[in-house]
Amino acid sequence: MAIELTRFDAAEYLTEPEDQAELLSDALETGDPQVVAKAIGMVARAHGMTELAKETGIKRQQLYRALGPDGNPTLETMLKVLPALGLKMRFEASA
């Protein structure tokens, strides 16, 4: 008897902006750019890549590439994507 597995996509469960912001904060704390890009990609997929492409003026394929597991989004991309997701970047002085 074979066990059936289904694909899990965290983006389906990231419906609340607070949860999305917490995920991104945790990812940022790792200091790993690929973890951050992957987290932003999850939030972007939760928002809808087609809608995000329309809001940012960035092609959908470029968003998938930049925000994918091997992505490395530019600051320009981040400055367009984050506001479209209802998020903002903030800086603090380190202790």
Side-chain angles (χ1 to χ4, degrees):
M1 179 150 120
I3 297 174
E4 274 193 53
L5 301 175
T6 57
R7 191 164 195 72
F8 175 79
D9 186 2
E12 294 177 22
Y13 301 94
L14 288 170
T15 57
E16 299 299 320
E18 295 82 14
D19 295 335
Q20 295 170 356
E22 186 174 348
L23 172 72
L24 294 175
S25 293
D26 289 346
L28 210 67
E29 286 181 16
T30 69
D32 185 338
Q34 288 184 327
V35 171
V36 175
K38 189 172 182 175
I40 293 170
M42 275 190 260
V43 173
R45 285 194 325 277
H47 183 79
M49 288 299 235
T50 301
E51 185 64 29
L52 186 60
K54 289 177 187 173
E55 292 177 29
T56 61
I58 301 171
K59 293 180 181 177
R60 194 170 50 89
Q61 295 84 355
Q62 289 176 294
L63 289 171
Y64 276 113
R65 193 172 24 255
L67 303 176
D70 297 324
N72 189 12
T74 64
L75 181 58
E76 181 180 6
T77 299
M78 298 298 292
L79 292 175
K80 290 180 181 178
V81 167
L82 292 176
L85 295 174
L87 300 166
K88 62 182 174 179
M89 199 175 347
R90 192 167 101 184
F91 294 96
E92 299 177 359
S94 60

